[in-house]
Amino acid sequence: MDLGISGRTAIICASSKGLGRGCAQALAEAGCTVVINGRDAVTLEATASQIRASTGATVLTVVADVSTRAGQDALLAAAPEPDILVNNNGGPPPKPFRDVSREALLEGVVQNLATPLELVQRVVDGMMARGFGRIVNITSASVLTPLTGLDVSSAARAGLTAFLSGVAREVAHANVTINNILPGMFDTDRLKSGLTKMATIKGVGIEEIAKARRDSVPAGRFGEADEFGKLCAFIASAHAGYITGQNFLIDGGAFRGNF
């Protein structure tokens, strides 16, 4: 399917690896010029080279922390008039709620609530003026269902969802959409880090922990960044202009609910 966004410009935050990279790859395959971002220059450039080689797309790199004003400025200097914004950022590490300090709570809110909101504020009016915009926020399945230890991340991402729900309706008339993708367990470095930590705590091998997690997913496996990226690209496509303010759960059936 031609997604109708060839020639568009997309900013994908935190996209040197993992789910962000999957989105960058898919948008590049759709013909977009993509601006990718990360804090490690070596990893970021390696990713850019691989995306260029596999798609022929123009890939710009911005080494920055998107949680900072300077990082956001750098992204928008690379693409002053983006057509597509994919909000993504690292989340707080798992921690028992009793151990969450005020500082950790505020940091989580900055990472997963304030930062994406600030970027939306900075790009949405330009999108409306040009008559096209797609904003996709990568949140988490924990917005819908509790995940032990991810309380700060869950709270911040749920806050982002609620905040932008009304905004999505406010800007829809200008062909600007705002949607959220809620990933479950995907085969990323973040998941592997969590599995390793859990294996250490329990004194067992990492594969034992990984198997138990996979077995809890009806699909019988972890998700792949590539399939996540394909969903992102469709939501960002010209065909998705009548879809806004929605949460797309992609978790292999792990969330057991009818609605």
Side-chain angles (χ1 to χ4, degrees), residues 8-12 15 23-37 48 51-52 55 57-62 78-79 84:
R8 298 287 187 182
T9 299
I11 293 175
I12 306 97
S15 46
C23 295
Q25 177 74 34
L27 288 167
E29 290 172 356
C32 294
T33 292
V34 296
V35 179
I36 65 171
N37 156 252
I51 294 176
R52 292 183 191 115
T55 67
T58 298
V59 182
L60 307 177
T61 60
V62 176
I84 298 164

Side-chain angles (χ1 to χ4, degrees), residues 33 46-47 73 80 83 112 141 178 183 208 217 230 234 239 251 259:
T33 292
T47 296
D73 288 345
D83 303 294
N112 299 142
I178 304 176
E208 181 178 338
V217 180
K230 293 294 195 296
F234 178 76
H239 310 302
D251 70 345
F259 304 102

Side-chain angles (χ1 to χ4, degrees), residues 128-149:
M128 293 177 69
R130 295 188 297 275
F132 182 93
R134 300 288 184 264
I135 297 171
V136 181
N137 305 298
I138 300 177
T139 60
S140 171
S142 68
V143 170
L144 293 181
T145 184
L147 296 178
T148 303

